[in-house]
């Protein structure tokens, strides 16, 4: 009998909210659509809310501390690279005012 190859699920825990996320790939390129390339390497899984083969980016790794972080606006920010909010707070003088004015430590 024919069986679909099952994607091996892995997980990461966000260093911001402590939530666990299940992903299948850590890559800049989508394994589901060759036309989709992300600006960072990220934790990906197939989007469960669509029947199309579209990737869902769940998070990435903070550029400074190298800890995994989800894409929630309370946990991380993508500004040319991914940063967790602890590292933004610790390095606030290195970010432009437009980024830090709404940031509360």
């Amino acid at each position: 009998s024919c069986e679909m190859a099952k994607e091996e699920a892995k997980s990461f825990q966000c260093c911001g909210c402590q939530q666990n996320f299940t992903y299948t790939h850590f890559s800049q390129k989508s394994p589901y659509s060759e036309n989709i390339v992300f600006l960072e390497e990220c934790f990906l899984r197939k989007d469960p809310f669509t029947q199309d083969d579209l990737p869902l980016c769940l998070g990435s790794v903070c550029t400074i501390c190298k800890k995994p972080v989800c894409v929630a606006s309370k946990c991380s920010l993508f500004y040319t690279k991914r940063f967790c909010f602890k590292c933004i707070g610790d390095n606030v003088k290195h970010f432009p005012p437009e980024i830090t004015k709404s940031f509360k430590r």
Side-chain angles (χ1 to χ4, degrees):
S1 70
C2 296
E3 288 184 27
M4 291 287 288
K6 194 170 185 181
E7 294 177 335
E8 186 179 332
K10 303 170 239 359
S11 68
F12 75 95
Q13 184 177 39
C14 174
C15 70
C17 65
Q18 306 304 309
Q19 186 167 339
N20 288 304
F21 295 89
T22 301
Y23 70 98
T24 55
H25 297 84
F26 184 75
S27 177
Q28 195 172 353
K29 293 183 178 182
S30 168
Y32 311 109
S33 174
E34 62 185 43
N35 299 328
I36 299 175
V37 179
F38 292 89
L39 296 174
E40 62 182 330
E41 284 195 315
C42 44
F43 298 105
L44 300 170
R45 67 172 293 158
K46 189 174 177 186
D47 188 341
F49 303 107
T50 178
Q51 293 189 5
D52 299 325
D53 284 341
L54 295 175
L56 183 63
C57 176
L58 301 169
S60 189
V61 175
C62 175
T63 301
I64 297 172
C65 69
K66 307 298 184 208
K67 292 180 181 175
V69 65
C70 75
V71 295
S73 59
K74 66 180 181 181
C75 296
S76 73
L77 172 74
F78 183 85
Y79 178 72
T80 68
K81 295 180 180 179
R82 178 74 48 191
F83 299 95
C84 73
F85 276 122
K86 181 185 181 320
C87 288
I88 293 173
D90 292 347
N91 298 278
V92 73
K93 64 183 176 291
H94 298 291
F95 290 89
E98 309 83 66
I99 299 296
T100 58
K101 69 180 175 190
S102 62
F103 174 71
K104 293 178 184 153
R105 231 179 144 164

